[in-house]
Amino acid sequence: MAEVLVLAEHTADGEVKKVTLELLTAARRLGSPSVVWAGPGSAAGVARLAEYGAEKVYVADSADFSSYVVAPTAELLASLVASASPAAVLVAGTIEGKEIAGRLAVKTGSGLLTDAVDVAAGPDGAPVAEQPNFGGSITVHSVVKSGTPIIAVRPNAISAEAAAGAAAVSEVSFAASDAAKAAAISERVVAEKGARPDLTEAQIVVSGGRGTGSEEGFKIIEKLADSLGAAVGASRAVTDAGWYPHAFQVGQTGKTVSPQLYMAVGISGAIQHRAGMQTSKTIIAINKDAEAPIFEIADFGVVGDLFTVVPQLMEEISKHKGV
Ligand SMILES: Cc1cc2nc3c(=O)[nH]c(=O)nc-3n(C[C@H](O)[C@H](O)[C@H](O)COP(=O)(O)OP(=O)(O)OC[C@H]3O[C@@H](n4cnc5c(N)ncnc54)[C@H](O)[C@@H]3O)c2cc1C
């Protein structure tokens, strides 16, 4: 069975990110999953990959990955594509993942499919990617016709399923070319991370819009999110107004999320916002305007003033938690 390369997303201390397990689940449908690990190996990381069906783990322990931005990782993948001739390469559809995928596509003369929400083997065994387009109003199934199919898969779109794999480690010696060292990392600032889950990986996202009225009003979104153990998101109207940081913007020019539950509070549902959340499994909207477009895609909707509805909702949530 042909190998399918999966680029691991992991923390500096070797913890495997959830999206990598999702990619492994997709890779098993296409062939034999081989993980590509850029950076110092991690026994705990390899053990985790084994639980999700990795048959092989290529570990390239080079300081180049932490000293320079994405180019060395694209070079590493290109060299493995040349040596392993994989059936496909899967990367996380994160900002970094998509940049690596683009560079890899150029280096290998291959086709690239981004924003995939599902991947399956077609009748001839070639990977078929499912992609939502035009803000999710059209779904297309795409195949790559040239080179090695490279597919960037949205985090949270595919459920990670455990399956035992050998996870045999294969050490790869790697040194980035001078060209890949053009953009060096000069400083690292660790983002302050509260107790809330990461926006793109969270199972529940509570997003607030202009309907919250102000920076002060937006705090009700944080309270609701915390009562549910959710991540906080925001519409562009909110981030442009400076009520909440841009890093939390959901939509076409922000983050793409696909949680189990997405709550849109005081958000009208403009197409650019929908582009970033439409594939959420369940969508709940709270809006005082019954005609708001968000209700077209909501599974459940509450028409009402959010400053009345949300406190009542939090009261019910705390009753259920027995708090
Ligand atoms: C190129 C481009 C890219 C863009 N990218 C993005 C993007 O990435 N993400 C994004 O979000 N937008 C993006 N936008 C902007 C987008 O078009 C909308 O302007 C924006 O999403 C609107 O945000 P909103 O829904 O919070 O505000 P509004 O559209 O003003 O909606 C506010 C809603 O709150 C409701 N409301 C008001 N008061 C209350 C209350 N007390 N209780 C309950 N409901 C209330 C109103 O009925 C209304 O539906 C982009 C636009 C362009 C042109």
Side-chain angles (χ1 to χ4, degrees), residues 93 98 115 117 132-137 154-157 199-202 205 207 233-236 248-264 267 269-283 294 297:
K98 284 194 263 193
D115 274 330
V117 292
N133 277 333
F134 298 112
S137 53
R154 271 190 198 176
N156 260 342
L199 178 57
T200 51
E201 296 215 327
V205 174
S207 282
S235 73
R236 181 157 157 183
F248 297 89
Q249 183 182 312
V250 171
Q252 186 184 314
T253 42
K255 298 262 163 65
T256 301
V257 300
S258 198
Q260 291 297 320
L261 174 63
Y262 186 87
M263 294 188 73
I267 291 178
I271 189 141
Q272 296 89 355
H273 186 80
R274 287 155 67 149
M277 45 66 75
Q278 185 129 15
T279 52
S280 304
K281 311 295 178 297
T282 301
I283 297 169
I294 192 73
I297 56 161

Side-chain angles (χ1 to χ4, degrees), residues 65-136:
F65 301 115
S66 52
S67 305
Y68 304 96
V69 286
V70 295
T73 309
E75 269 189 358
L76 168 67
L77 277 174
S79 72
L80 286 168
V81 166
S83 61
S85 304
V89 180
L90 303 186
V91 300
T94 54
I95 290 171
E96 226 175 56
K98 284 194 263 193
E99 188 178 343
I100 291 167
R103 286 170 178 267
L104 177 65
V106 172
K107 283 179 191 302
T108 58
S110 301
L112 161 63
L113 300 169
T114 57
D115 274 330
V117 292
D118 206 0
V119 181
D124 59 355
V128 179
E130 182 177 314
Q131 300 163 295
N133 277 333
F134 298 112

Side-chain angles (χ1 to χ4, degrees), residues 165-286:
V169 172
S170 169
E171 303 282 349
V172 179
S173 73
F174 175 80
S177 70
D178 286 345
K181 293 179 177 173
I185 296 168
S186 57
E187 190 188 0
R188 276 174 200 280
V189 180
V190 180
E192 254 182 59
K193 196 172 179 294
R196 295 192 191 110
D198 185 70
L199 178 57
T200 51
E201 296 215 327
Q203 294 294 307
I204 306 176
V205 174
V206 178
S207 282
R210 202 193 316 260
T212 56
S214 64
E215 187 175 348
E216 193 55 33
F218 193 83
K219 293 201 168 112
I220 197 167
I221 302 299
E222 292 189 302
K223 283 187 193 150
L224 176 57
D226 289 342
S227 73
L228 290 163
V232 173
S235 73
R236 181 157 157 183
V238 165
T239 58
D240 278 355
W243 300 347
Y244 214 64
H246 276 281
F248 297 89
Q249 183 182 312
V250 171
Q252 186 184 314
T253 42
K255 298 262 163 65
T256 301
V257 300
S258 198
Q260 291 297 320
L261 174 63
Y262 186 87
M263 294 188 73
V265 184
I267 291 178
S268 60
I271 189 141
Q272 296 89 355
H273 186 80
R274 287 155 67 149
M277 45 66 75
Q278 185 129 15
T279 52
S280 304
K281 311 295 178 297
T282 301
I283 297 169
I284 297 179
I286 301 172

Side-chain angles (χ1 to χ4, degrees), residues 134-181:
F134 298 112
S137 53
I138 294 175
T139 299
V140 296
H141 292 92
S142 316
V143 292
V144 166
K145 290 289 192 187
S146 57
T148 304
I150 302 166
I151 305 176
V153 183
R154 271 190 198 176
N156 260 342
I158 294 172
S159 305
E161 286 162 19
V169 172
S170 169
E171 303 282 349
V172 179
S173 73
F174 175 80
S177 70
D178 286 345
K181 293 179 177 173

